[in-house]
Amino acid sequence: MAIGTILVSTGSYVPEHRLTNQMLTEMVDTSDEWIIQRTGIRERRIAVHQTTAELALGAAQRALEDADIAPQQLDLIVACTATPDSYTPSIACRVQAGLQAERAFAFDLSAACSGFVYATDVVDSYFRAGKAKTALVVCAETLSRIIDYTDRTTCCLFGDGAGAAVYRWSDTEDGILHTVMGADGKRADALFAEALPSENPLERGADAVSSERFLKMDGKEVFRFSTRTVPEAIDQVLDGSGMTIDEIDWVVPHQANLRIIDVICRRYGLRKEQVYVNLDRYGNTSSASIPICLDEMRRNGLLQAGQTIILVGFGGGLTYGAVLMRM
Ligand code: COA
């Protein structure tokens, strides 16, 4: 029997508060029709009173309950977020404390919307290196904290939420078959959110401190990047695992825009039922979008043993990546 990385369980946690397209029309000059037509999004969830770490812990707890694995069995926790609550500690350490997963080493990984795919590859690599056998990946975002709700070009796209997955190094012929990751730092400005002000605090006066550090995006550039790199990543994981698209049961893309997903469907001749979409209900939750999809699919009985699935992410960095696994 071969050995490989299997997905054991998933969990997700989204805040209660809904921000509908109709509500956005009261904030900026937009319409329900425009947002649906250009993005496919109808509403998103907003973490009004919750931190990123709280969302992360909620998703992580559900993933562990689903796995029937005690937190003390975890060797590794990788958290992904573009919206951490603090520079230190990491979200992963907050989750480790919240779970009482004392044995796990824990760190955050920054790859924006490609976070889940990158983290899955990192976990698989640690497993292959013999440094861990049971790992939690948790992706959580409170993007509403960096969205400018006076900017109609970005505010309709993003939402808050968290998703998690438990992976295990196991005897199997299946599991993760191939991974691909890429980045193009030259296009960094196409999706940009500042962290600390670049001025030295010793030099700037108190009134120079701006609290308006909002996400800025060149939508067309990101669109072009994703419609080029997503097929490249899919082609590469197919090549790497010696499979063709006809052998794939599911494609789970990062949930950014229905038009980007339509491009993928047309390019590969995929049927709508093969491509999981929930962005109408959550918008773009960055790193959390793929694990939230996986969790919905598992809980709704859509993922069956033996199925092949491609996860494909893209976003800030700019970054992209894909994972091909057999359930
Ligand atoms: N409501 C109404 N009109 C809007 C609007 C909104 N929310 N946002 C932009 N517009 C307007 C623009 O101002 C522009 O008006 P103008 O022609 O008078 O200048 C017009 O709509 C067309 O804008 P454009 O930017 O060309 O639209 P688009 O078809 O490129 O769609 C995005 C914009 C953002 C939906 C699209 O570029 C996109 O999805 N990009 C990818 C973004 C993404 O996925 N980012 C995250 C990746 S992880």
Side-chain angles (χ1 to χ4, degrees):
M1 174 73 89
I3 196 157
T5 301
I6 56 164
L7 176 72
V8 178
S9 71
T10 55
S12 62
Y13 185 95
V14 292
E16 297 266 302
H17 181 72
R18 289 180 155 82
L19 178 63
T20 63
N21 290 352
Q22 188 55 40
M23 291 155 93
L24 285 173
T25 64
E26 289 153 28
M27 299 157 80
V28 290
D29 181 14
T30 190
S31 66
D32 186 38
E33 300 74 47
W34 192 96
I35 301 173
I36 291 175
Q37 208 176 60
R38 299 290 177 111
T39 72
I41 300 166
R42 292 172 187 273
E43 62 179 35
R44 36 331 267 131
R45 301 297 183 93
I46 304 296
V48 183
H49 300 298
Q50 285 161 305
T51 63
T52 300
E54 286 166 347
L55 300 188
L57 187 58
Q61 282 166 335
R62 288 177 182 176
L64 284 177
E65 280 162 20
D66 189 30
D68 213 6
I69 282 178
Q72 294 71 28
Q73 290 174 267
L74 292 174
D75 303 313
L76 165 63
I77 299 174
V78 185
C80 309
T81 186
T83 46
D85 305 313
S86 50
Y87 292 103
T88 187
S90 63
I91 293 292
C93 283
R94 294 272 192 214
V95 170
Q96 192 244 27
L99 293 175
Q100 299 181 311
E102 296 90 0
R103 285 188 50 254
F105 63 104
F107 61 89
D108 285 7
L109 179 159
S110 171
C113 309
S114 309
F116 185 73
V117 169
Y118 267 56
T120 295
D121 182 73
V122 165
V123 163
D124 186 48
S125 303
Y126 270 97
F127 286 178
R128 287 178 195 284
K131 293 186 173 178
K133 286 192 166 132
T134 307
L136 170 75
V137 172
V138 56
C139 303
E141 305 287 358
T142 51
L143 291 160
S144 58
R145 292 193 300 181
I146 58 165
I147 295 302
D148 180 354
Y149 286 99
T150 64
D151 174 8
R152 68 179 182 171
T153 65
T154 52
C155 73
C156 58
L157 299 178
F158 298 94
D160 302 338
V166 175
Y167 289 109
R168 224 170 195 179
W169 188 235
S170 299
D171 289 335
T172 180
E173 300 292 336
D174 301 327
I176 293 177
L177 302 179
H178 202 72
T179 58
V180 166
M181 292 189 293
D184 182 359
K186 289 195 302 297
R187 291 184 164 76
D189 288 346
L191 201 50
F192 181 81
E194 195 166 352
L196 286 169
S198 48
E199 322 91 85
N200 187 301
L202 291 173
E203 285 179 21
R204 73 178 175 200
D207 43 339
V209 181
S210 164
S211 60
E212 294 192 333
R213 291 195 289 272
F214 295 128
L215 178 118
K216 296 165 194 72
M217 185 184 70
D218 178 344
K220 284 192 193 309
E221 179 68 25
V222 177
F223 198 96
R224 273 194 296 273
F225 173 81
S226 50
T227 50
R228 176 173 60 80
T229 55
V230 166
E232 275 174 23
I234 292 178
D235 287 348
Q236 285 172 28
V237 280
L238 285 170
D239 279 357
S241 49
M243 298 180 81
T244 64
I245 196 73
D246 307 329
E247 295 172 84
I248 301 302
D249 295 295
W250 283 104
V251 173
V252 183
H254 167 49
Q255 307 285 303
N257 186 316
L258 196 56
R259 288 192 299 153
I260 296 175
I261 295 174
D262 285 343
V263 170
I264 306 171
C265 288
R266 281 199 300 276
R267 159 85 191 248
Y268 292 99
L270 294 166
R271 288 172 286 112
K272 274 204 161 42
E273 310 80 65
Q274 284 180 279
V275 182
Y276 195 76
V277 173
N278 66 10
L279 59 74
D280 50 319
R281 288 175 283 130
Y282 303 121
N284 179 345
T285 56
S286 190
S287 65
S289 85
I290 293 177
I292 293 174
C293 286
L294 286 176
D295 190 46
E296 286 190 352
M297 293 169 77
R298 277 172 61 81
R299 285 174 203 276
N300 293 329
L302 297 175
L303 289 184
Q304 309 289 334
Q307 285 183 335
T308 47
I309 171 164
I310 292 178
L311 315 176
V312 61
F314 55 89
L318 296 175
T319 55
Y320 66 93
V323 171
L324 197 160
M325 62 169 91
R326 188 177 290 116
M327 300 301 294

